[in-house]
PDB file of all heavy atoms in Angstrom:
ATOM      1  N   SER A   1      48.737 -25.087  14.497  1.00 97.00           N
ATOM      2  CA  SER A   1      50.155 -25.116  14.863  1.00 97.00           C
ATOM      3  C   SER A   1      50.952 -25.846  13.796  1.00 97.00           C
ATOM      4  O   SER A   1      50.413 -26.695  13.091  1.00 97.00           O
ATOM      5  CB  SER A   1      50.363 -25.848  16.193  1.00 97.00           C
ATOM      6  OG  SER A   1      49.633 -25.240  17.222  1.00 97.00           O
ATOM      7  N   PHE A   2      52.241 -25.514  13.713  1.00 97.00           N
ATOM      8  CA  PHE A   2      53.152 -26.289  12.873  1.00 97.00           C
ATOM      9  C   PHE A   2      54.577 -26.113  13.384  1.00 97.00           C
ATOM     10  O   PHE A   2      54.859 -25.218  14.179  1.00 97.00           O
ATOM     11  CB  PHE A   2      53.006 -25.942  11.387  1.00 97.00           C
ATOM     12  CG  PHE A   2      53.630 -24.655  10.930  1.00 97.00           C
ATOM     13  CD1 PHE A   2      54.601 -24.666   9.946  1.00 97.00           C
ATOM     14  CD2 PHE A   2      53.242 -23.436  11.445  1.00 97.00           C
ATOM     15  CE1 PHE A   2      55.169 -23.491   9.492  1.00 97.00           C
ATOM     16  CE2 PHE A   2      53.798 -22.261  10.994  1.00 97.00           C
ATOM     17  CZ  PHE A   2      54.774 -22.288  10.013  1.00 97.00           C
ATOM     18  N   THR A   3      55.439 -27.035  12.972  1.00 97.00           N
ATOM     19  CA  THR A   3      56.818 -27.081  13.468  1.00 97.00           C
ATOM     20  C   THR A   3      57.791 -27.197  12.293  1.00 97.00           C
ATOM     21  O   THR A   3      58.203 -28.298  11.945  1.00 97.00           O
ATOM     22  CB  THR A   3      57.015 -28.278  14.412  1.00 97.00           C
ATOM     23  OG1 THR A   3      56.691 -29.476  13.694  1.00 97.00           O
ATOM     24  CG2 THR A   3      56.151 -28.179  15.646  1.00 97.00           C
ATOM     25  N   PRO A   4      58.169 -26.082  11.683  1.00 96.00           N
ATOM     26  CA  PRO A   4      59.065 -26.145  10.524  1.00 96.00           C
ATOM     27  C   PRO A   4      60.517 -26.413  10.930  1.00 96.00           C
ATOM     28  O   PRO A   4      61.378 -25.548  10.838  1.00 96.00           O
ATOM     29  CB  PRO A   4      58.894 -24.764   9.890  1.00 96.00           C
ATOM     30  CG  PRO A   4      58.554 -23.869  11.025  1.00 96.00           C
ATOM     31  CD  PRO A   4      57.754 -24.716  11.979  1.00 96.00           C
ATOM     32  N   ASN A   5      60.782 -27.644  11.387  1.00 93.00           N
ATOM     33  CA  ASN A   5      62.128 -27.984  11.856  1.00 93.00           C
ATOM     34  C   ASN A   5      62.797 -29.054  10.997  1.00 93.00           C
ATOM     35  O   ASN A   5      63.846 -29.571  11.368  1.00 93.00           O
ATOM     36  CB  ASN A   5      62.073 -28.435  13.317  1.00 93.00           C
ATOM     37  CG  ASN A   5      61.139 -29.607  13.526  1.00 93.00           C
ATOM     38  OD1 ASN A   5      60.668 -30.228  12.579  1.00 93.00           O
ATOM     39  ND2 ASN A   5      60.842 -29.903  14.780  1.00 93.00           N
ATOM     40  N   GLY A   6      62.189 -29.414   9.871  1.00 92.00           N
ATOM     41  CA  GLY A   6      62.815 -30.349   8.943  1.00 92.00           C
ATOM     42  C   GLY A   6      62.703 -31.813   9.301  1.00 92.00           C
ATOM     43  O   GLY A   6      63.351 -32.646   8.683  1.00 92.00           O
ATOM     44  N   ASP A   7      61.855 -32.173  10.273  1.00 94.00           N
ATOM     45  CA  ASP A   7      61.733 -33.584  10.653  1.00 94.00           C
ATOM     46  C   ASP A   7      60.698 -34.339   9.820  1.00 94.00           C
ATOM     47  O   ASP A   7      60.462 -35.521  10.026  1.00 94.00           O
ATOM     48  CB  ASP A   7      61.418 -33.725  12.141  1.00 94.00           C
ATOM     49  CG  ASP A   7      60.035 -33.225  12.528  1.00 94.00           C
ATOM     50  OD1 ASP A   7      59.317 -32.679  11.657  1.00 94.00           O
ATOM     51  OD2 ASP A   7      59.672 -33.374  13.705  1.00 94.00           O
ATOM     52  N   GLY A   8      60.054 -33.656   8.874  1.00 93.00           N
ATOM     53  CA  GLY A   8      59.074 -34.304   8.006  1.00 93.00           C
ATOM     54  C   GLY A   8      57.680 -34.399   8.587  1.00 93.00           C
ATOM     55  O   GLY A   8      56.786 -34.960   7.964  1.00 93.00           O
ATOM     56  N   MET A   9      57.471 -33.867   9.774  1.00 93.00           N
ATOM     57  CA  MET A   9      56.150 -33.895  10.407  1.00 93.00           C
ATOM     58  C   MET A   9      55.708 -32.464  10.721  1.00 93.00           C
ATOM     59  O   MET A   9      56.408 -31.751  11.444  1.00 93.00           O
ATOM     60  CB  MET A   9      56.198 -34.720  11.692  1.00 93.00           C
ATOM     61  CG  MET A   9      56.507 -36.188  11.458  1.00 93.00           C
ATOM     62  SD  MET A   9      56.711 -37.132  12.979  1.00 93.00           S
ATOM     63  CE  MET A   9      55.215 -36.775  13.847  1.00 93.00           C
ATOM     64  N   ASN A  10      54.582 -32.057  10.161  1.00 94.00           N
ATOM     65  CA  ASN A  10      54.027 -30.719  10.415  1.00 94.00           C
ATOM     66  C   ASN A  10      55.006 -29.601  10.090  1.00 94.00           C
ATOM     67  O   ASN A  10      55.044 -28.578  10.769  1.00 94.00           O
ATOM     68  CB  ASN A  10      53.561 -30.589  11.869  1.00 94.00           C
ATOM     69  CG  ASN A  10      52.481 -31.562  12.224  1.00 94.00           C
ATOM     70  OD1 ASN A  10      51.569 -31.782  11.439  1.00 94.00           O
ATOM     71  ND2 ASN A  10      52.577 -32.161  13.385  1.00 94.00           N
ATOM     72  N   ASP A  11      55.831 -29.779   9.046  1.00 96.00           N
ATOM     73  CA  ASP A  11      56.827 -28.775   8.682  1.00 96.00           C
ATOM     74  C   ASP A  11      56.228 -27.575   7.956  1.00 96.00           C
ATOM     75  O   ASP A  11      56.882 -26.541   7.845  1.00 96.00           O
ATOM     76  CB  ASP A  11      57.921 -29.386   7.794  1.00 96.00           C
ATOM     77  CG  ASP A  11      58.884 -30.256   8.588  1.00 96.00           C
ATOM     78  OD1 ASP A  11      59.058 -30.012   9.795  1.00 96.00           O
ATOM     79  OD2 ASP A  11      59.462 -31.168   7.993  1.00 96.00           O
ATOM     80  N   ILE A  12      55.011 -27.716   7.457  1.00 96.00           N
ATOM     81  CA  ILE A  12      54.378 -26.654   6.669  1.00 96.00           C
ATOM     82  C   ILE A  12      52.988 -26.374   7.227  1.00 96.00           C
ATOM     83  O   ILE A  12      52.233 -27.295   7.536  1.00 96.00           O
ATOM     84  CB  ILE A  12      54.270 -27.058   5.183  1.00 96.00           C
ATOM     85  CG1 ILE A  12      55.657 -27.232   4.589  1.00 96.00           C
ATOM     86  CG2 ILE A  12      53.479 -26.032   4.389  1.00 96.00           C
ATOM     87  CD1 ILE A  12      55.651 -27.755   3.174  1.00 96.00           C
ATOM     88  N   PHE A  13      52.667 -25.099   7.366  1.00 97.00           N
ATOM     89  CA  PHE A  13      51.299 -24.688   7.674  1.00 97.00           C
ATOM     90  C   PHE A  13      50.532 -24.789   6.365  1.00 97.00           C
ATOM     91  O   PHE A  13      50.788 -24.040   5.424  1.00 97.00           O
ATOM     92  CB  PHE A  13      51.295 -23.253   8.205  1.00 97.00           C
ATOM     93  CG  PHE A  13      49.927 -22.662   8.347  1.00 97.00           C
ATOM     94  CD1 PHE A  13      49.032 -23.141   9.291  1.00 97.00           C
ATOM     95  CD2 PHE A  13      49.533 -21.603   7.553  1.00 97.00           C
ATOM     96  CE1 PHE A  13      47.770 -22.587   9.422  1.00 97.00           C
ATOM     97  CE2 PHE A  13      48.273 -21.029   7.677  1.00 97.00           C
ATOM     98  CZ  PHE A  13      47.399 -21.527   8.617  1.00 97.00           C
ATOM     99  N   LYS A  14      49.632 -25.750   6.269  1.00 94.00           N
ATOM    100  CA  LYS A  14      48.933 -26.016   5.015  1.00 94.00           C
ATOM    101  C   LYS A  14      47.435 -26.064   5.250  1.00 94.00           C
ATOM    102  O   LYS A  14      46.940 -26.883   6.021  1.00 94.00           O
ATOM    103  CB  LYS A  14      49.404 -27.334   4.406  1.00 94.00           C
ATOM    104  CG  LYS A  14      48.801 -27.617   3.057  1.00 94.00           C
ATOM    105  CD  LYS A  14      49.415 -28.852   2.435  1.00 94.00           C
ATOM    106  CE  LYS A  14      48.873 -29.062   1.043  1.00 94.00           C
ATOM    107  NZ  LYS A  14      49.483 -30.192   0.381  1.00 94.00           N
ATOM    108  N   ILE A  15      46.734 -25.192   4.553  1.00 93.00           N
ATOM    109  CA  ILE A  15      45.280 -25.145   4.629  1.00 93.00           C
ATOM    110  C   ILE A  15      44.727 -26.029   3.519  1.00 93.00           C
ATOM    111  O   ILE A  15      45.135 -25.910   2.368  1.00 93.00           O
ATOM    112  CB  ILE A  15      44.763 -23.708   4.468  1.00 93.00           C
ATOM    113  CG1 ILE A  15      45.297 -22.843   5.612  1.00 93.00           C
ATOM    114  CG2 ILE A  15      43.242 -23.683   4.421  1.00 93.00           C
ATOM    115  CD1 ILE A  15      44.977 -21.379   5.470  1.00 93.00           C
ATOM    116  N   GLN A  16      43.834 -26.929   3.868  1.00 88.00           N
ATOM    117  CA  GLN A  16      43.215 -27.803   2.876  1.00 88.00           C
ATOM    118  C   GLN A  16      41.909 -27.172   2.429  1.00 88.00           C
ATOM    119  O   GLN A  16      40.965 -27.050   3.199  1.00 88.00           O
ATOM    120  CB  GLN A  16      42.971 -29.188   3.464  1.00 88.00           C
ATOM    121  CG  GLN A  16      44.249 -29.905   3.803  1.00 88.00           C
ATOM    122  CD  GLN A  16      43.993 -31.247   4.449  1.00 88.00           C
ATOM    123  OE1 GLN A  16      42.874 -31.706   4.575  1.00 88.00           O
ATOM    124  NE2 GLN A  16      45.064 -31.882   4.871  1.00 88.00           N
ATOM    125  N   LEU A  17      41.905 -26.738   1.170  1.00 84.00           N
ATOM    126  CA  LEU A  17      40.721 -26.126   0.579  1.00 84.00           C
ATOM    127  C   LEU A  17      40.031 -27.160  -0.283  1.00 84.00           C
ATOM    128  O   LEU A  17      40.662 -27.804  -1.103  1.00 84.00           O
ATOM    129  CB  LEU A  17      41.122 -24.930  -0.288  1.00 84.00           C
ATOM    130  CG  LEU A  17      41.861 -23.797   0.417  1.00 84.00           C
ATOM    131  CD1 LEU A  17      42.416 -22.821  -0.598  1.00 84.00           C
ATOM    132  CD2 LEU A  17      40.919 -23.083   1.363  1.00 84.00           C
ATOM    133  N   ASN A  18      38.755 -27.314  -0.102  1.00 76.00           N
ATOM    134  CA  ASN A  18      37.969 -28.252  -0.908  1.00 76.00           C
ATOM    135  C   ASN A  18      36.899 -27.480  -1.654  1.00 76.00           C
ATOM    136  O   ASN A  18      35.979 -26.950  -1.055  1.00 76.00           O
ATOM    137  CB  ASN A  18      37.313 -29.313  -0.016  1.00 76.00           C
ATOM    138  CG  ASN A  18      38.341 -30.157   0.685  1.00 76.00           C
ATOM    139  OD1 ASN A  18      39.345 -30.513   0.097  1.00 76.00           O
ATOM    140  ND2 ASN A  18      38.117 -30.456   1.947  1.00 76.00           N
ATOM    141  N   GLY A  19      37.042 -27.411  -2.960  1.00 69.00           N
ATOM    142  CA  GLY A  19      36.028 -26.777  -3.765  1.00 69.00           C
ATOM    143  C   GLY A  19      36.083 -25.267  -3.804  1.00 69.00           C
ATOM    144  O   GLY A  19      35.118 -24.625  -4.161  1.00 69.00           O
ATOM    145  N   SER A  20      37.203 -24.675  -3.406  1.00 65.00           N
ATOM    146  CA  SER A  20      37.316 -23.224  -3.455  1.00 65.00           C
ATOM    147  C   SER A  20      37.747 -22.779  -4.842  1.00 65.00           C
ATOM    148  O   SER A  20      38.576 -23.407  -5.477  1.00 65.00           O
ATOM    149  CB  SER A  20      38.340 -22.740  -2.431  1.00 65.00           C
ATOM    150  OG  SER A  20      37.914 -23.070  -1.144  1.00 65.00           O
ATOM    151  N   ASP A  21      37.188 -21.687  -5.287  1.00 71.00           N
ATOM    152  CA  ASP A  21      37.540 -21.172  -6.595  1.00 71.00           C
ATOM    153  C   ASP A  21      38.820 -20.331  -6.534  1.00 71.00           C
ATOM    154  O   ASP A  21      39.805 -20.628  -7.184  1.00 71.00           O
ATOM    155  CB  ASP A  21      36.392 -20.339  -7.167  1.00 71.00           C
ATOM    156  CG  ASP A  21      35.143 -21.175  -7.398  1.00 71.00           C
ATOM    157  OD1 ASP A  21      35.289 -22.373  -7.710  1.00 71.00           O
ATOM    158  OD2 ASP A  21      34.047 -20.624  -7.254  1.00 71.00           O
ATOM    159  N   LEU A  22      38.813 -19.278  -5.748  1.00 80.00           N
ATOM    160  CA  LEU A  22      39.942 -18.367  -5.622  1.00 80.00           C
ATOM    161  C   LEU A  22      40.213 -18.126  -4.141  1.00 80.00           C
ATOM    162  O   LEU A  22      39.316 -18.184  -3.315  1.00 80.00           O
ATOM    163  CB  LEU A  22      39.630 -17.029  -6.297  1.00 80.00           C
ATOM    164  CG  LEU A  22      39.307 -17.066  -7.779  1.00 80.00           C
ATOM    165  CD1 LEU A  22      38.808 -15.695  -8.239  1.00 80.00           C
ATOM    166  CD2 LEU A  22      40.518 -17.476  -8.590  1.00 80.00           C
ATOM    167  N   PHE A  23      41.464 -17.812  -3.819  1.00 89.00           N
ATOM    168  CA  PHE A  23      41.781 -17.511  -2.427  1.00 89.00           C
ATOM    169  C   PHE A  23      42.982 -16.590  -2.360  1.00 89.00           C
ATOM    170  O   PHE A  23      43.736 -16.447  -3.311  1.00 89.00           O
ATOM    171  CB  PHE A  23      42.067 -18.795  -1.632  1.00 89.00           C
ATOM    172  CG  PHE A  23      43.375 -19.437  -1.998  1.00 89.00           C
ATOM    173  CD1 PHE A  23      44.534 -19.117  -1.316  1.00 89.00           C
ATOM    174  CD2 PHE A  23      43.454 -20.341  -3.034  1.00 89.00           C
ATOM    175  CE1 PHE A  23      45.737 -19.693  -1.664  1.00 89.00           C
ATOM    176  CE2 PHE A  23      44.645 -20.926  -3.387  1.00 89.00           C
ATOM    177  CZ  PHE A  23      45.792 -20.597  -2.698  1.00 89.00           C
ATOM    178  N   GLN A  24      43.145 -15.967  -1.199  1.00 94.00           N
ATOM    179  CA  GLN A  24      44.363 -15.238  -0.878  1.00 94.00           C
ATOM    180  C   GLN A  24      44.665 -15.499   0.590  1.00 94.00           C
ATOM    181  O   GLN A  24      43.809 -15.303   1.450  1.00 94.00           O
ATOM    182  CB  GLN A  24      44.224 -13.738  -1.115  1.00 94.00           C
ATOM    183  CG  GLN A  24      45.508 -13.001  -0.771  1.00 94.00           C
ATOM    184  CD  GLN A  24      45.425 -11.511  -1.020  1.00 94.00           C
ATOM    185  OE1 GLN A  24      44.372 -10.897  -0.868  1.00 94.00           O
ATOM    186  NE2 GLN A  24      46.532 -10.923  -1.403  1.00 94.00           N
ATOM    187  N   LEU A  25      45.895 -15.945   0.858  1.00 96.00           N
ATOM    188  CA  LEU A  25      46.355 -16.225   2.214  1.00 96.00           C
ATOM    189  C   LEU A  25      47.334 -15.148   2.628  1.00 96.00           C
ATOM    190  O   LEU A  25      48.240 -14.801   1.863  1.00 96.00           O
ATOM    191  CB  LEU A  25      47.048 -17.592   2.269  1.00 96.00           C
ATOM    192  CG  LEU A  25      47.773 -17.942   3.568  1.00 96.00           C
ATOM    193  CD1 LEU A  25      46.787 -18.075   4.726  1.00 96.00           C
ATOM    194  CD2 LEU A  25      48.583 -19.216   3.395  1.00 96.00           C
ATOM    195  N   LYS A  26      47.153 -14.616   3.841  1.00 97.00           N
ATOM    196  CA  LYS A  26      48.103 -13.669   4.415  1.00 97.00           C
ATOM    197  C   LYS A  26      48.486 -14.159   5.799  1.00 97.00           C
ATOM    198  O   LYS A  26      47.633 -14.593   6.568  1.00 97.00           O
ATOM    199  CB  LYS A  26      47.499 -12.270   4.542  1.00 97.00           C
ATOM    200  CG  LYS A  26      47.273 -11.579   3.226  1.00 97.00           C
ATOM    201  CD  LYS A  26      46.736 -10.174   3.442  1.00 97.00           C
ATOM    202  CE  LYS A  26      46.445  -9.509   2.109  1.00 97.00           C
ATOM    203  NZ  LYS A  26      45.894  -8.163   2.302  1.00 97.00           N
ATOM    204  N   ILE A  27      49.790 -14.084   6.107  1.00 97.00           N
ATOM    205  CA  ILE A  27      50.309 -14.368   7.441  1.00 97.00           C
ATOM    206  C   ILE A  27      50.759 -13.044   8.026  1.00 97.00           C
ATOM    207  O   ILE A  27      51.483 -12.277   7.371  1.00 97.00           O
ATOM    208  CB  ILE A  27      51.484 -15.371   7.397  1.00 97.00           C
ATOM    209  CG1 ILE A  27      51.089 -16.662   6.665  1.00 97.00           C
ATOM    210  CG2 ILE A  27      51.990 -15.645   8.812  1.00 97.00           C
ATOM    211  CD1 ILE A  27      50.040 -17.497   7.357  1.00 97.00           C
ATOM    212  N   ILE A  28      50.360 -12.787   9.263  1.00 97.00           N
ATOM    213  CA  ILE A  28      50.595 -11.495   9.903  1.00 97.00           C
ATOM    214  C   ILE A  28      51.285 -11.738  11.247  1.00 97.00           C
ATOM    215  O   ILE A  28      50.883 -12.627  12.002  1.00 97.00           O
ATOM    216  CB  ILE A  28      49.244 -10.767  10.114  1.00 97.00           C
ATOM    217  CG1 ILE A  28      48.541 -10.640   8.757  1.00 97.00           C
ATOM    218  CG2 ILE A  28      49.433  -9.419  10.781  1.00 97.00           C
ATOM    219  CD1 ILE A  28      47.052 -10.427   8.858  1.00 97.00           C
ATOM    220  N   ASP A  29      52.322 -10.933  11.544  1.00 97.00           N
ATOM    221  CA  ASP A  29      53.004 -11.072  12.834  1.00 97.00           C
ATOM    222  C   ASP A  29      52.242 -10.308  13.913  1.00 97.00           C
ATOM    223  O   ASP A  29      51.244  -9.638  13.641  1.00 97.00           O
ATOM    224  CB  ASP A  29      54.478 -10.660  12.740  1.00 97.00           C
ATOM    225  CG  ASP A  29      54.695  -9.181  12.453  1.00 97.00           C
ATOM    226  OD1 ASP A  29      53.741  -8.374  12.584  1.00 97.00           O
ATOM    227  OD2 ASP A  29      55.829  -8.822  12.086  1.00 97.00           O
ATOM    228  N   THR A  30      52.722 -10.383  15.152  1.00 96.00           N
ATOM    229  CA  THR A  30      52.012  -9.764  16.272  1.00 96.00           C
ATOM    230  C   THR A  30      52.076  -8.241  16.240  1.00 96.00           C
ATOM    231  O   THR A  30      51.336  -7.583  16.970  1.00 96.00           O
ATOM    232  CB  THR A  30      52.558 -10.274  17.617  1.00 96.00           C
ATOM    233  OG1 THR A  30      53.972 -10.058  17.650  1.00 96.00           O
ATOM    234  CG2 THR A  30      52.252 -11.746  17.816  1.00 96.00           C
ATOM    235  N   ASP A  31      52.958  -7.672  15.415  1.00 97.00           N
ATOM    236  CA  ASP A  31      53.010  -6.216  15.253  1.00 97.00           C
ATOM    237  C   ASP A  31      52.054  -5.730  14.169  1.00 97.00           C
ATOM    238  O   ASP A  31      51.969  -4.538  13.891  1.00 97.00           O
ATOM    239  CB  ASP A  31      54.430  -5.769  14.904  1.00 97.00           C
ATOM    240  CG  ASP A  31      55.401  -6.002  16.046  1.00 97.00           C
ATOM    241  OD1 ASP A  31      54.975  -5.896  17.215  1.00 97.00           O
ATOM    242  OD2 ASP A  31      56.580  -6.285  15.768  1.00 97.00           O
ATOM    243  N   GLY A  32      51.353  -6.654  13.500  1.00 97.00           N
ATOM    244  CA  GLY A  32      50.404  -6.293  12.461  1.00 97.00           C
ATOM    245  C   GLY A  32      51.003  -6.219  11.068  1.00 97.00           C
ATOM    246  O   GLY A  32      50.348  -5.785  10.130  1.00 97.00           O
ATOM    247  N   ASN A  33      52.270  -6.646  10.928  1.00 96.00           N
ATOM    248  CA  ASN A  33      52.929  -6.638   9.621  1.00 96.00           C
ATOM    249  C   ASN A  33      52.577  -7.895   8.829  1.00 96.00           C
ATOM    250  O   ASN A  33      52.667  -8.998   9.361  1.00 96.00           O
ATOM    251  CB  ASN A  33      54.449  -6.574   9.783  1.00 96.00           C
ATOM    252  CG  ASN A  33      54.887  -5.355  10.557  1.00 96.00           C
ATOM    253  OD1 ASN A  33      54.477  -4.248  10.255  1.00 96.00           O
ATOM    254  ND2 ASN A  33      55.699  -5.572  11.571  1.00 96.00           N
ATOM    255  N   VAL A  34      52.200  -7.721   7.569  1.00 96.00           N
ATOM    256  CA  VAL A  34      51.968  -8.866   6.694  1.00 96.00           C
ATOM    257  C   VAL A  34      53.343  -9.390   6.283  1.00 96.00           C
ATOM    258  O   VAL A  34      54.115  -8.698   5.634  1.00 96.00           O
ATOM    259  CB  VAL A  34      51.146  -8.472   5.453  1.00 96.00           C
ATOM    260  CG1 VAL A  34      51.006  -9.661   4.514  1.00 96.00           C
ATOM    261  CG2 VAL A  34      49.775  -7.956   5.867  1.00 96.00           C
TER     262      VAL A  34
END
């Protein structure tokens, strides 16, 4: 969960990767749209 409301707490959905070489992140809505 996150709350992008500008209060400085949990404003960004951030994945912490440790030791990953390459990645691709996709966010998808409930209709299946990227």
Side-chain angles (χ1 to χ4, degrees):
S1 302
F2 77 121
T3 58
N5 57 11
D7 68 356
M9 295 175 54
N10 299 318
D11 285 333
I12 296 175
F13 171 68
K14 184 174 184 177
I15 298 174
Q16 295 177 5
L17 300 169
N18 297 320
S20 297
D21 296 328
L22 301 171
F23 71 91
Q24 180 179 33
L25 171 65
K26 290 183 183 179
I27 305 294
I28 304 159
D29 66 14
T30 55
D31 293 327
N33 302 310
V34 176

